[in-house]
Amino acid sequence: MSLSTTPQPGPTRPELLAAMLRIRAYEERIVAFHAAGPFPNVCTSVGQEAAAVGVVSALRTEDQILTNHRSAGHLLARGADPGRMLAEVMGRSTGYCQGRSGTLHISVKELGVVLTSTIVGGELSLAPGVALSRAMLGGEGIVVCFFGDGAACEGIFHESLNLASVWNLPVLYVCENNQWQAFVHRKETMVGDHVAPWAAPYGIDSLTVDGNDVESVRKAALHAAAQVRETRRPFLLEAWTYRQRGHMEPHDQSYVDPAELEAWMAKDPISRLEARLLADGELTTADLEVLHAEARRAIDEAAEFASTSPYPDPSDLAAGVYA
C-alpha cells in the first residue's frame, strides 16, 4: 500500500531526536537505579524509541492509547512528566496513580492513556470496548493499541481484530515486533517473520515499517491514522524493531545470539537519525551534545523529584477501591 505524501505539520527532525533521547535517558536511569541497589523490576524499551515517537507524534489530542508493560516510550512521547512516571515506579504518592500502579499498570487520563496492561495481550482485549465507546460518542478520535509480537501469538489478538472488523471500530493496532517474546525468540513461536499479513483474513489493511527509522514510522502512522479516521475501521501497523536489553531489568541477555544483538545495535534508531542530521547539515556535533545534555538534565530532575517524594499515607490504602 502506498503512503500519502501530503505534507503534515508536526515536530521537526531535531524535535523527534530530542523525544527519543529523553526516552533513552529515562530508561538508562532505570538501569542505573537497578545497578545501585534495590529497585522495582521494570520492562524497558531501549532500542524501540523510534516506534514510540514515530507513532505517538502522529496522533491527535482526542486520540486514546492502550499500551503494555513496555510503555515508558509511549507515555513520554505523549507528553508525560518523567518525574511523575519515576515516582509511580517507586511507589510514591506523587506518581500518576499515587504509587498504586507502578510501571506495569499506569494510566494518565489527561493524556488519553487509558491503561497499561502487564498481562500479555490484555490491552488487545480492551481496545474494542474503548473503540466502541468512541464510536458511540462520535467525533474523530481513534483508539491506538500498542502490543508486541508475543501478544500477537495469543488468541486474544485474533478475537480483537475480528471484533473490531465486524463492528467497524476505529482502532489503530500497532505491533512493535521487537523479535523477542520474554526469553523466547519469535522464530520459535511464529511461522514467517511478520504480523501485519495476519490482518488480511479479517478484512483489515496493514503495513510493515522499519521501526528503527522514526521518520518512516511517523509517515506510516500518519497514513494509518488518517485511514482509520476516514473509514472508522481498524488498521494494523507493524513496526519492525528490536529490544536491546533483557526482558525485564535486571535480567541479562545470555540467551541472545551476540551476532544478532550486534547487528541490531548497528541499526540503533537514535544513532541513525543523528547520522542523518549530521550528514544533511541540519545539526552539528555540538548541537547533538546539547540535546544529549538536555535529556540527561531533564531525567536528573525527574529522578530527584521522584526520590524525594513521600510514600502514600497508609490511611489512603483503600482509596479508589470499590465493593
Side-chain angles (χ1 to χ4, degrees), residues 4-266:
S4 171
T5 57
T6 303
Q8 295 284 344
T12 64
R13 297 204 295 175
E15 288 171 340
L16 291 172
L17 175 60
M20 290 196 293
L21 287 172
R22 173 174 282 212
I23 295 169
R24 180 69 60 89
Y26 176 92
E27 306 260 49
E28 288 178 342
R29 181 53 59 92
I30 293 286
V31 174
F33 274 135
H34 273 287
F39 192 80
N41 289 356
V42 177
C43 294
T44 62
S45 55
V46 177
Q48 300 178 208
E49 295 87 358
V53 172
V55 171
V56 176
S57 70
L59 304 182
R60 299 178 182 175
T61 56
E62 65 266 29
D63 298 334
Q64 294 175 291
I65 295 173
L66 293 89
T67 181
N68 58 16
H69 52 278
R70 234 170 278 285
S71 64
H74 311 142
L75 289 159
L76 288 169
R78 189 63 165 171
D81 181 338
R84 294 187 66 186
M85 286 178 58
L86 274 175
E88 188 60 39
V89 174
M90 295 180 181
R92 306 303 175 96
S93 62
T94 54
Y96 274 110
C97 301
Q98 295 79 53
R100 290 178 170 82
S101 76
T103 185
L104 297 178
H105 297 282
I106 192 169
S107 62
V108 187
K109 182 179 181 180
E110 59 266 35
L111 296 177
V113 181
V114 179
L115 62 85
T116 295
S117 173
T118 186
I119 304 300
V120 175
E123 67 279 21
L124 285 165
S125 69
L126 295 167
V130 177
L132 178 62
S133 172
R134 297 294 313 186
M136 295 174 70
L137 291 171
E140 296 184 354
I142 66 173
V143 173
V144 182
C145 181
F146 287 96
F147 62 100
D149 46 297
C153 294
E154 298 272 353
I156 194 60
F157 165 81
H158 300 278
E159 295 178 48
S160 184
L161 265 67
N162 180 65
L163 193 59
S165 182
V166 170
W167 285 358
N168 294 312
L169 299 176
V171 184
L172 173 54
Y173 291 97
V174 180
C175 177
E176 294 174 305
N177 189 337
N178 66 10
Q179 317 301 310
W180 283 92
Q181 303 171 8
F183 308 101
V184 179
H185 198 279
R186 60 165 178 78
K187 291 182 179 179
E188 299 180 56
T189 65
M190 295 169 52
V191 176
D193 292 331
H194 295 290
V195 172
W198 298 358
Y202 302 106
I204 296 175
D205 289 337
S206 66
L207 183 67
T208 297
V209 65
D210 181 351
N212 280 19
D213 183 337
V214 68
E215 293 181 277
S216 294
V217 175
R218 174 174 162 77
K219 183 178 180 180
L222 284 167
H223 166 82
Q227 180 166 321
V228 175
R229 292 184 207 286
E230 180 180 352
T231 65
R232 309 313 289 174
R233 283 190 50 76
F235 190 105
L236 172 57
L237 177 63
E238 178 185 22
W240 184 252
T241 184
Y242 195 79
R243 188 193 80 204
Q244 292 182 6
R245 296 190 60 80
H247 168 59
M248 178 177 283
E249 299 299 330
H251 296 163
D252 63 23
Q253 290 179 292
S254 57
Y255 50 88
V256 176
D257 181 351
E260 175 188 281
L261 181 59
E262 181 181 3
W264 275 98
M265 293 292 279

